[in-house]
Amino acid sequence: MATTASRNLAAPLLFLNLIMYLILLAFASWCLNRYINGQTAHPSMGGNGATGHFLTFAILAAVLGIVSKISGGNHLRAWRNDSLAAACSSSIIAWAITALAFGLACKEINVGGWRGWRLRVVEAFVIILAFTQLLYVLLLHAGFFSSAYGPVYRDHGYGIGAPAAETAPKGAVTGARV
């Protein structure tokens, strides 16, 4: 039971984050399309000087988040050390870009101005995803602290502490007098 604790917690969080990243991608794409077309007077758009940068990073965070969830789903299916490396690295990158989008969302809120409901939905999803993605990254890295939480980073079959290998070249006779 203890060996699957991290797995049982990470699976629903992975699914929730995947759905939220898909929704974020849809709303941010719609808002960026309106922003590029110069339709900021649309009733559900609005915006300020930070909107263009924020929407760019929101779309980038959504795409990287979706890709990291695909890698995370593969890891949850396999639950091995080699899939852990791919899932952890992609989730850290997705979280970093989401954190950048989070900072831009805070800046956009701070600058003020009128923002439509779709733009506020994008801001809210980015803020929520910054924290849920961080929680997901921490759950994936739980194996770093104890092997009871899932695959660990260290494989004791090689590296430091492993039995020494033969240093003689192949085919050479060792220990015999010629």
Side-chain angles (χ1 to χ4, degrees), residues 36-60:
I36 289 172
N37 290 340
Q39 299 172 341
T40 56
H42 192 274
S44 56
M45 180 58 191
N48 54 37
T51 303
H53 302 293
F54 166 65
L55 290 174
T56 303
F57 276 98
I59 289 177
L60 183 62

Side-chain angles (χ1 to χ4, degrees), residues 13-164:
L13 190 58
L14 179 133
F15 182 71
L16 175 73
N17 280 356
L18 176 64
I19 297 301
M20 289 179 68
Y21 273 124
L22 287 170
I23 293 170
L24 174 65
L25 181 62
F27 275 100
S29 298
W30 185 92
C31 289
L32 187 63
N33 183 38
R34 296 286 183 187
Y35 186 79
I36 289 172
N37 290 340
Q39 299 172 341
T40 56
H42 192 274
S44 56
M45 180 58 191
N48 54 37
T51 303
H53 302 293
F54 166 65
L55 290 174
T56 303
F57 276 98
I59 289 177
L60 183 62
V63 170
L64 288 175
I66 291 167
V67 169
S68 90
K69 298 309 159 222
I70 292 170
S71 176
N74 183 40
H75 170 60
L76 288 178
R77 185 184 57 80
W79 202 246
R80 295 178 13 174
N81 291 349
D82 51 350
S83 64
L84 175 67
C88 287
S89 61
S90 65
S91 68
I92 286 175
I93 292 170
W95 174 74
I97 299 298
T98 305
L100 286 172
F102 170 77
L104 286 167
C106 293
K107 182 64 177 177
E108 185 177 41
I109 292 169
N110 190 27
V111 168
W114 184 80
R115 298 178 323 277
W117 69 271
R118 287 187 177 142
L119 196 54
R120 288 186 303 216
V121 165
V122 173
E123 292 167 355
F125 269 83
V126 166
I127 290 169
I128 293 168
L129 278 167
F131 294 108
T132 58
Q133 181 69 13
L134 177 63
L135 181 61
Y136 177 70
V137 168
L138 293 175
L139 283 174
L140 282 180
H141 286 83
F144 180 74
F145 300 107
S146 173
S147 62
Y149 299 116
V152 294
Y153 289 94
R154 296 175 226 67
D155 188 6
H156 297 291
Y158 60 89
I160 298 174

Side-chain angles (χ1 to χ4, degrees), residues 164-170 172 174:
E166 298 264 342
T167 57
K170 289 184 179 180
T174 58

